[in-house]
Amino acid sequence: MSRPGRERSRRILIVGGGFVGMVVARRLERRIDRRHAIELVTPENFMLYHPFLPEVASGTIDPRAVVVPLRRALRRTRLTIGEVERVEHDRRSASVRLPHGAVVERAYDEIVLAPGSRSRVSHVPGLAEHGIGFKTLAEAIWLRNRVLSQLDRAEAMDDPRARRQALTFVFVGGGYAGIEALGELEDLVRDALPLYRTVAPQEPRWLMVEAGPRILRELDEDLAADARRRLEERGVEFRIGTRLEAVEPGRVRLSDGEVIAADTVVWTTGVHPVALARRSGLPVDATGRLLVDPYLRVQGLEGAWGAGDAAAVPDVTTGGLVPATAQHALREARRLADNLASTVDGDGGLRPFRWKHKGSVVSLGHYEGVANPLGIRVRGFPAWFLHRTYHLFAMPTLGRRVRIAADWTVALLFARDVSQLGSLTTPREAFLRALESDDNGPHGAGGSEADGDAPRSDRPGG
């Protein structure tokens, strides 16, 4: 006699290819019967491990090492590159916009909503035009190139005020992302400065603007104060209890009236959930997060599940909500996959998500950090090493761990790479300059093959 739930196959649609989406898909591939179909819809064909973005920005880790190719990681799952615009759960259908603009419908029996989050951008005048976030791989790479290009610019400047403006870097938001990004980039500049003949060590200026009463509110006050003290010893300035009021070309205005000349403003004040659940009329809280029960089922809906940054997950140990951290997202994904597998295969009851926070680790760059694993306060090099070790083992797939460990080993043995590759973001610029240049010759679009460098045999049909 067959168990309940085994009478038919199920179509499982996973929305979002981030940490939760990928882990759920991989675990389902191992847990559920092969007659069930799994599909994952995501805008990118890779999963990005966000905790390593600061080290990508500083050049310690190669950008390709912190992304997991989904097509290689998922063997049974159908991968669709696109973005789910709306879910009509009463019809068990999702509208997916594909990269070329077409919209297709995806039918499902069970849906996992893990679309993730985006940078929480305030309506600060000028921020959209002159600021940069720190949420994506492209932003981390751009910021590294920006910092190095500002050093190059300053090297060629004679005006002290212009140099100071070029070498002032303002970070807004004193949470994990802002503190770790600032610490890593300050470390990058410290290593690069000996290569610049006219830029003095004291010229680069680093400012952290935090609207709250202190930085790193996720840590206890003593550890947060220690992190601030260590950064201040490296020359970092703090504006606590201060808001960013406006960003103008070459300067920022703060709520205390201070005006700072700066060309680079980095916005790291947190994230907000992707608005898919709200657009779809699904139950959400005041912040737009999907309301789920302790079993990670969407409240009041059968066949819908949610986890990660876009979900308000109850914390059964404290009575509050689970924080949006990597360690919680990993465990949420595993519990969700197990509960969903039990549902579609009828293999047993559901278990609530239960995970006690094990502490936090924060890297400050320059072989420094703070941490409180299991409530034990750790500072300096041991905390920095603990940060690296924890996230290395949390990184999905053995191949990526080996790549990251190899990058760290190279960084210990050789000088840091300070190549500025900003042109990668504008690949056609050199080509367009060549077209506009007088050196292009009189032939224009009909120029002879003798104008080029390639021999006849290298041309199509040659």
Side-chain angles (χ1 to χ4, degrees), residues 169-345:
F169 306 96
V170 178
F171 286 71
V172 184
Y176 288 147
I179 291 297
E180 291 188 346
L182 186 152
E184 286 289 340
L185 287 167
E186 190 277 338
D187 201 13
L188 167 65
V189 169
R190 182 186 298 270
D191 281 354
L193 278 178
L195 304 176
Y196 292 84
R197 298 178 58 188
T198 66
V199 180
Q202 66 273 16
E203 285 191 87
R205 187 183 182 194
W206 304 87
L207 288 95
M208 169 58 66
V209 178
E210 167 56 46
R214 64 184 178 91
I215 64 170
L216 298 174
R217 280 173 283 179
E218 303 86 350
L219 297 177
D220 62 64
E221 289 193 32
D222 286 346
L223 276 180
D226 186 68
R228 175 175 174 176
R229 178 184 60 78
R230 290 173 184 272
L231 290 172
E232 285 177 332
E233 289 174 352
R234 289 156 54 182
V236 177
E237 302 174 36
F238 288 85
R239 302 292 186 271
I240 303 299
T242 307
R243 299 184 309 278
L244 180 68
E245 289 289 320
V247 184
E248 302 167 359
R251 62 182 183 178
V252 299
R253 294 183 179 274
L254 303 182
S255 59
D256 61 2
E258 185 179 8
V259 178
I260 299 170
D263 285 340
T264 306
V265 179
V266 187
W267 182 266
T268 65
T269 62
V271 296
H272 67 84
V274 171
L276 173 63
R278 190 188 297 277
R279 287 198 306 267
S280 302
L282 302 177
V284 297
D285 66 6
T287 66
R289 291 181 298 177
L290 189 68
L291 291 173
V292 300
D293 65 17
Y295 302 94
L296 302 174
R297 302 171 300 190
V298 178
Q299 291 184 12
L301 297 179
E302 183 179 351
W305 310 75
D309 289 353
V313 179
D315 189 336
V316 297
T317 64
T318 66
L321 293 177
V322 172
T325 66
Q327 64 173 285
H328 287 90
L330 173 62
R331 276 78 184 186
E332 290 171 27
R334 290 173 178 169
R335 174 54 50 212
L336 190 158
D338 290 346
N339 284 345
L340 179 52
S342 295
T343 298
V344 300
D345 277 339

Side-chain angles (χ1 to χ4, degrees), residues 270-424:
V271 296
H272 67 84
V274 171
L276 173 63
R278 190 188 297 277
R279 287 198 306 267
S280 302
L282 302 177
V284 297
D285 66 6
T287 66
R289 291 181 298 177
L290 189 68
L291 291 173
V292 300
D293 65 17
Y295 302 94
L296 302 174
R297 302 171 300 190
V298 178
Q299 291 184 12
L301 297 179
E302 183 179 351
W305 310 75
D309 289 353
V313 179
D315 189 336
V316 297
T317 64
T318 66
L321 293 177
V322 172
T325 66
Q327 64 173 285
H328 287 90
L330 173 62
R331 276 78 184 186
E332 290 171 27
R334 290 173 178 169
R335 174 54 50 212
L336 190 158
D338 290 346
N339 284 345
L340 179 52
S342 295
T343 298
V344 300
D345 277 339
D347 290 336
L350 308 185
R351 295 174 58 189
F353 172 72
R354 185 187 302 271
W355 174 255
K356 187 176 181 181
H357 187 53
K358 303 299 183 183
S360 301
V361 288
V362 182
S363 170
L364 305 176
H366 202 56
Y367 303 104
E368 293 185 318
V370 292
N372 58 354
L374 302 176
I376 303 171
R377 294 175 181 172
V378 184
R379 298 173 169 86
F381 178 83
W384 172 86
F385 183 80
L386 188 63
H387 173 274
R388 283 197 162 187
T389 302
Y390 172 79
H391 285 299
L392 180 65
F393 283 99
M395 180 73 193
T397 77
L398 177 62
R400 259 39 196 180
R401 294 174 198 153
V402 172
R403 286 174 181 245
I404 291 169
D407 284 347
W408 286 340
T409 302
V410 170
L412 288 173
L413 298 176
F414 301 97
R416 191 196 299 258
D417 181 11
V418 293
S419 302
Q420 191 272 108
L421 302 175
S423 58
L424 291 179

Side-chain angles (χ1 to χ4, degrees), residues 81-99:
I81 304 302
E83 187 166 2
V84 176
E85 294 188 329
R86 187 175 179 83
V87 173
E88 296 184 51
H89 191 64
D90 55 341
R91 296 177 49 236
R92 297 297 199 274
S93 178
S95 300
V96 181
R97 182 170 295 278
L98 303 178

Side-chain angles (χ1 to χ4, degrees), residues 55-79:
E55 293 197 57
V56 170
S58 67
T60 307
I61 300 177
D62 185 279
R64 293 170 297 179
V66 302
V67 297
V68 178
L70 292 173
R71 294 191 187 278
R72 188 172 296 279
L74 303 176
R75 302 298 185 178
R76 284 180 49 196
T77 302
R78 175 185 178 184
L79 183 65

